[in-house]
Amino acid sequence: MTFDATLTRINEGVQLHHQQGERAAARDLFAQVWDEIGGERGDALHVCVLAHAMADVQDDVRQELLWDERALAAADRLTDERVAESGVPLSVAGLYPSLHLNLAECHRRLGDLDRAREHLRQAEAGIGALGDDGYGKVIRGGLDRLTRQLAAG
């Protein structure tokens, strides 16, 4: 494992958002890092993690969807070796349930329930890649919640 300054900066932005409630500051930091890594042409891990985090600080669901789609596209270019090298404790397969859950939620909020259900199915199909740890429980809980919302809608 090597120290990754870019992932450290992304984590700083995540902390700004989740711990300090500073969405705008996190969005500004993420935009700086996005430019520094070369946007979508950057290292797939950086693009995936950054786009996934950037989606969470968007005020408009369409922008959130765009960032979530970027994260998914970057995950498709990732290797388990690259993820392990960075110290992220997941396989690439372990990233997909969360990515698809976020996409499903965006489509639900936009009223496209068919696409929401498709992404939900893809998230559920990959759930076996998650452990029985806190992260896995959060994603499973999100899938259960979204399943109930889509059944009601």
Side-chain angles (χ1 to χ4, degrees):
M1 181 176 83
T2 60
F3 174 75
D4 191 314
T6 300
L7 290 179
T8 299
R9 290 190 62 219
I10 295 168
N11 187 54
E12 290 169 6
V14 170
Q15 296 308 311
L16 277 171
H17 174 221
H18 290 290
Q19 303 299 322
Q20 300 171 30
E22 299 286 338
R23 284 172 59 97
R27 191 170 38 244
D28 290 345
L29 176 58
F30 292 151
Q32 290 173 356
V33 175
W34 184 254
D35 288 343
E36 290 168 11
I37 67 171
E40 293 177 68
R41 295 178 319 277
D43 174 275
L45 180 63
H46 295 157
V47 173
C48 181
V49 174
L50 180 55
H52 193 49
M54 181 65 115
D56 289 344
V57 296
Q58 297 305 305
D59 295 327
D60 179 89
V61 69
R62 286 171 187 80
Q63 286 298 310
E64 183 178 347
L65 177 62
L66 175 68
W67 285 103
D68 282 331
E69 288 170 340
R70 287 174 175 152
L72 181 65
D76 289 342
R77 299 188 341 251
L78 270 174
T79 64
D80 285 332
E81 293 76 22
R82 175 64 183 108
V83 174
E85 168 188 292
S86 73
V88 174
L90 286 173
S91 66
V92 174
L95 300 173
Y96 284 101
S98 178
L99 295 170
H100 283 292
L101 173 60
N102 286 3
L103 285 160
E105 176 61 19
C106 285
H107 286 296
R108 183 196 67 78
R109 289 169 46 210
L110 288 169
D112 189 345
L113 302 185
D114 289 337
R115 290 193 75 189
R117 288 183 183 101
E118 177 56 32
H119 281 288
L120 180 61
R121 280 190 291 276
Q122 290 180 48
E124 290 170 338
I127 202 75
L130 296 179
D132 193 27
D133 56 4
Y135 175 75
K137 289 176 184 174
V138 166
I139 301 305
R140 285 181 182 90
L143 292 173
D144 289 345
R145 177 191 48 75
L146 185 57
T147 298
R148 287 191 304 275
Q149 288 175 322
L150 289 173

